[in-house]
Amino acid sequence: MGEGASSSSKKSRKPDYSRFTQQELPACKPILTPQWVVTVFIFLGIVFIPIGLASLSASEKVVEIVHRYDEHCAPTNYTQPDLAYHDRIAFIRNNKSNKTCIRTLTVPKKMKHPIYVYYQLNNFYQNHRRYVKSRNDEQLRDPNFKGDLKKTCAPEDMNGNEPVIPCGLIAWSLFNDTYGFSIKDKGLPINRKNISWPSDKKHKFGSKVFPKNFQKGSLIGGGALNESIPMSEQEDLQVWLRTAALPVFRKLYGKIEHDLEANENITVVIQNNYNTYTFEGKKSLVLSTTTWIGGKNKFLGIAYLTVGGICLFVAIIFILMYVIKPRPFGDPAYLSWNLNPSGN
């Protein structure tokens, strides 16, 4: 009997007793009294409301020019929407039509450099599942890539028996409108370097990978690429390949490194090449300064003010309830962890 008992005890899987394994370590178990709850809500309101006001103030200091040009740069003689729609499509598809368009922008306030130049597209769903998957990241960084492109890039995978580099629908639909700026017939240079993420240039796009057979099929989607420039330096493509989550988005085109004075007139020469007319999309040119919060965006400030206001409102309601109709407190001694502090 003694030997059997000793052998059974050796086989036991019961762990050694410890306060950690038995969850008996000291723990913070606050009691949410009205005073404590009201204090927390007031604190959140006091913190959130100034942050919201500061965010809104920073957003208001951003000077922004947004100019939609797709309708002005595709002339039509028709007033009926259906006829104008087809007329603009015929215009943008005609390689012989003059796509040069001149627009004038007026600076509303002084804009300090750097001034960021964006193009904005509306009704363009870059987040479509098939569109997002239509790329091959390994091909973009590895010059020796020989894998199958059909699964990820079809129908823009091969040109005859040769692979398309870069493959896929995202690259194929590369935005290719161009902008030139001048003030009083004096050119305003745009810095188009360092517009993509440094991590993309360094890790996602190879310095020994060059475009090949790109936009040489029967159907041209967007802009072409210089085959003598490696993918790591094709910053327009890198910006475009970082797909947007919403159907209205902006992408960085370049930076103006000079201040613009109030009421100055900027002449913009636009090459209206990109076809957004078939899916009734919109194209806009955006010039914007930035502050510590980034570009113009009121959402963050409004969100902070809303949450802060709700917290103060709830705190006031709790105070009124506590003063007008107070309730007696229960005895904390009857709480389970006070009745059985050891947990046994």
Side-chain angles (χ1 to χ4, degrees):
M1 293 294 292
E3 292 180 359
S6 62
S7 62
S8 62
S9 62
K10 290 180 180 179
K11 295 180 181 180
S12 175
R13 295 184 180 181
K14 183 178 179 180
D16 295 335
Y17 172 81
S18 72
R19 300 186 68 186
F20 175 76
T21 58
Q22 297 303 318
Q23 299 184 13
E24 296 176 4
L25 292 175
C28 178
K29 300 173 182 177
I31 300 173
L32 297 179
T33 63
Q35 295 89 340
W36 173 251
V37 173
V38 168
T39 301
V40 170
F41 277 115
I42 291 177
F43 174 78
L44 292 176
I46 292 174
V47 171
F48 277 40
I49 288 177
I51 295 176
L53 293 174
S55 301
L56 281 179
S57 176
S59 178
E60 289 298 323
K61 292 180 181 178
V62 174
V63 183
E64 186 177 86
I65 304 173
V66 182
H67 180 75
R68 180 183 173 186
Y69 64 87
D70 56 285
E71 290 183 338
H72 299 286
C73 293
T76 179
N77 295 322
Y78 299 100
T79 57
Q80 297 181 3
D82 291 343
L83 296 177
Y85 168 78
H86 292 290
D87 193 31
R88 289 193 172 101
I89 292 177
F91 169 82
I92 203 70
R93 288 178 174 175
N94 186 357
N95 294 329
K96 296 182 180 180
S97 61
N98 183 13
K99 306 294 196 308
T100 303
C101 176
I102 299 176
R103 307 297 300 168
T104 300
L105 309 179
T106 301
V107 181
K109 297 179 182 178
K110 182 176 181 178
M111 303 178 73
K112 295 183 179 180
H113 73 282
I115 301 167
Y116 294 90
V117 181
Y118 303 89
Y119 55 88
Q120 177 176 305
L121 297 181
N122 293 50
N123 202 35
F124 193 116
Y125 289 83
Q126 270 199 320
N127 60 348
H128 191 283
R129 182 181 62 84
R130 186 178 178 187
Y131 184 88
V132 171
K133 293 174 65 177
S134 187
R135 60 187 292 168
N136 191 298
D137 291 326
E138 190 175 352
Q139 180 204 53
L140 296 173
R141 61 176 178 264
D142 185 4
N144 300 316
F145 176 76
K146 301 295 182 182
D148 183 16
L149 297 176
K150 188 174 183 179
K151 293 181 179 179
T152 55
C153 293
E156 295 300 321
D157 54 338
M158 305 291 288
N159 185 13
N161 295 324
E162 294 292 326
V164 176
I165 305 175
C167 70
L169 292 174
I170 308 177
W172 175 79
S173 60
L174 174 65
F175 186 82
N176 62 337
D177 282 6
T178 61
Y179 313 105
F181 298 86
S182 62
I183 298 178
K184 297 178 181 179
D185 297 327
K186 183 179 180 181
L188 189 63
I190 304 177
N191 181 7
R192 306 208 60 206
K193 296 293 184 180
N194 300 319
I195 61 174
S196 64
W197 289 32
S199 58
D200 288 357
K201 295 175 64 176
K202 186 176 181 180
H203 301 292
K204 292 187 177 182
F205 297 87
S207 59
K208 296 183 179 180
V209 181
F210 293 84
K212 183 180 179 182
N213 300 314
F214 185 67
Q215 300 289 20
K216 293 184 178 180
S218 58
L219 185 62
I220 305 301
L225 297 174
N226 189 334
E227 295 189 358
S228 64
I229 300 176
M231 301 299 293
S232 60
E233 298 179 17
Q234 301 275 4
E235 295 195 50
D236 279 343
L237 178 67
Q238 294 169 23
V239 171
W240 182 254
L241 285 176
R242 187 166 282 275
T243 52
L246 300 175
V248 179
F249 59 86
R250 295 177 181 180
K251 291 186 181 290
L252 186 60
Y253 182 83
K255 292 178 286 187
I256 297 175
E257 305 288 356
H258 301 278
D259 293 349
L260 298 179
E261 300 297 330
N263 300 319
E264 277 188 323
N265 291 324
I266 306 173
T267 301
V268 186
V269 179
I270 302 172
Q271 291 298 324
N272 183 32
N273 301 314
Y274 199 68
N275 183 7
T276 58
Y277 303 98
T278 54
F279 56 88
E280 298 183 346
K282 302 175 184 178
K283 296 187 290 186
S284 301
L285 174 64
V286 181
L287 275 65
S288 177
T289 60
T290 59
T291 60
W292 61 268
I293 201 174
K296 184 178 286 294
N297 187 352
K298 296 182 179 180
F299 173 79
L300 186 61
I302 293 174
Y304 271 107
L305 287 176
T306 302
V307 174
I310 291 174
C311 288
L312 289 181
F313 177 75
V314 172
I316 293 172
I317 294 297
F318 281 180
I319 291 172
L320 293 176
M321 291 176 62
Y322 181 66
V323 172
I324 297 173
K325 195 175 181 180
R327 295 177 60 187
F329 296 120
D331 189 353
Y334 287 98
L335 293 172
S336 60
W337 55 83
N338 290 330
L339 287 173
N340 193 8
S342 63
N344 295 322

